[in-house]
Amino acid sequence: MARLTILRYPDPRLHTAARPVAVVDERIRTLAADLLETMYAESGVGLAATQVDVHERVIVMDTSDARDRPLVLVNPEIVWASDERAVAEEGCLSVPQVYDKVERHARVKVRALDRDGQPFELDAEGLSAVCVQHEMDHLRGKVFVEYLSLLKRDRIRTKMLKRTRDEQRTRA
Ligand code: NI
């Protein structure tokens, strides 16, 4: 297993649409294991392959309190979404220290393949529903800040660019 480097907004590679996984093989299992290791190390509840510059439809999540329920979703598809919507505060490992409210479906049913390539369904509500919709957005190249106003997004963009510059200067 290995910890992977997470792309940081506004890196243009975050806007790449991921392609479906053809076969869930050892390579995909290693990717999923590395995504989980990286997610846990960064204290995130979800991570998409897009965020580590791998553009294939794989996401991992763990929304349990004990952080002992890792979920791997390969080729996830939303097969049902509630009309009811809910607003929750979101953050993202690609946009560190930025949190804002996003409105999404309150509940969704997602069909995916697990790490062995077996199909399963996830009935998601609450944090799990927020997380799976957020991570699936990554797979189509969408970052949560794109739901915010242009003004907010510009501010976040400037802040992130400045922070990355400052960090590079400190390292130099
Ligand atoms: Ni994210």
Side-chain angles (χ1 to χ4, degrees), residues 46 51 91-95 134-135 138 143-144:
Q51 291 175 273
C92 180
L93 293 177
S94 292
V95 200
H134 175 120
E135 301 311 330
H138 277 301
V143 180
F144 87 102

